[in-house]
Structure formats: structure tokens, C-alpha cells
Amino acid sequence: MSNDTRSELERVQERIRACTACRLAASRTHANPGAGGTDSRLMIVGEAPGRIEDETGLPFQGRSGAVLDETLREHGLARGRFFITASVKCRPPRNRTPRADELRTCRELWLERQIELIDPAVIVLLGQTAVKQVLGRSQRMSELHGRALRWRGRIALPGYHPAAALRFPGVRARFREDIGLLRALLERERLL
């Protein structure tokens, strides 16, 4: 990533921190613009910040983040290799699913620009909200997870969200499989 692109990404992140374009800004503590590696061309998109992410302004910091980190490590992947962000940048009240207008606002103002600047070769989409936000697909995760899809000259890899892996043992196994597939994909594409 060039210095100009890195500077532009930093400007976008500052604008996200100050954003009041949708109702989610009214109840947040900190907007969550994303964080992590910007040179590896690997991106993870989740659903929305949770309570701890709202407090810290950083992605995947709570129990879901611990599951993500542990599973990445199990497969020899480091969190710092990925730029990690969310479908919406502010925590929805009571952790509800983001609404269509909130998703549209964040996609049009922020996520599309982040994808353009990071220019990821691979985007990992954790959960149905991320799949719908990026790919526009509403299929069940059981139909999509573990399938490498072509999207705008990139590889999109839908997978279960680590929060679902915390609640359901069967999903935890599939989440691990998804990260294993990611590892194999990165090796095949020579991105490691």
C-alpha cells in the first residue's frame, strides 16, 4: 500500500469515528472503523461492534474475538495479517441485527471505500450480515460457508461468525473448518 493510500485510509477511519449519518451514532460510545494489516491484502468483515468493541473502538475484542484469534492461531494465521472491520461501524442498541438502512449507509459511505483502499485479494465474510452486506446474498450460511466465491476480481469466503461458534458446538466445528479452508486458499493463492 502506498503512503498516499495509507493516508487516505487513515482519513476514512477518522471520518468513521466522527460519523453521524445514521441512528446508530446516537447510542454508540466509539465508532469502530476497523484495524489491522493493510499491506497483506487480506480482509475480514464481521457484523457489527458488540459491547466491548463499542468501549474500545477496536474490532473483535470480546469473546468472539478470542474465538477468532484462537482459531486463526490453530491454523497458523496471525490476526495482524488481516484488516478487520464490520458491516456497520457502530454498535446497534441491545446488540440487534443492523437494519437495512444502517447497512446501506455504512456500505455506501465506508465499507466500499475501505475495500477499494485495502484492495484485498481475499475477503472473509463472517456471518450472514457480512455476506449480505458485501455480496448482496441472503442465502443461509449453511449453503454458503466454506465456498470460495469470485466477487469483483476478488475471492470472497463466507463463513460462520465466531459468536455463533460460541453458542453452538456444531457451528464451532464448521467455523474451524472455514478457517482451515481459508488457510488452504491462502496457500494456494500464494498469499502467505
Side-chain angles (χ1 to χ4, degrees), residues 5-143:
T5 303
R6 189 172 285 109
S7 294
E8 177 60 18
L9 180 61
E10 289 171 7
R11 282 191 290 278
V12 167
Q13 289 179 297
E14 285 304 314
R15 290 195 301 265
I16 289 170
R17 287 183 186 98
C19 181
T20 58
C22 77
R23 71 179 70 81
L24 294 179
S27 60
R28 73 166 186 241
T29 302
H30 293 99
N32 198 311
T38 56
D39 289 326
S40 70
R41 300 193 59 222
L42 305 175
M43 186 177 223
I44 294 174
V45 179
E47 180 176 307
R51 182 182 56 81
I52 295 173
E53 292 81 6
D54 183 56
E55 292 170 3
T56 65
L58 296 169
F60 283 102
Q61 296 296 299
R63 292 176 48 215
S64 293
V67 170
L68 175 63
D69 291 346
E70 172 190 321
T71 308
L72 288 171
R73 277 192 307 272
E74 286 174 7
H75 290 89
L77 299 170
R79 177 187 182 113
R81 298 277 322 265
F82 298 85
F83 183 83
I84 303 174
T85 192
S87 297
V88 296
K89 310 307 183 185
C90 299
R91 181 180 189 221
R94 297 175 304 286
N95 246 20
R96 68 166 165 73
T97 300
R99 295 180 180 154
D101 62 316
E102 297 160 350
L103 288 163
R104 185 176 49 256
T105 297
C106 278
R107 181 181 57 251
E108 291 172 359
L109 289 178
W110 311 122
L111 185 59
E112 288 176 352
R113 185 67 175 137
Q114 287 178 309
I115 292 169
E116 178 185 330
L117 291 167
I118 299 293
D119 191 23
V122 176
I123 302 176
V124 181
L125 304 170
L126 297 179
Q128 240 175 339
T129 299
V131 170
K132 186 171 184 177
Q133 180 74 323
V134 174
L135 302 179
R137 293 185 175 205
S138 298
Q139 291 166 275
R140 296 172 52 129
M141 188 52 64
S142 60
E143 299 169 11

Side-chain angles (χ1 to χ4, degrees), residues 138-152:
S138 298
Q139 291 166 275
R140 296 172 52 129
M141 188 52 64
S142 60
E143 299 169 11
L144 288 173
H145 89 96
R147 292 177 45 206
L149 307 170
R150 288 283 170 190
W151 177 78
R152 297 183 184 176

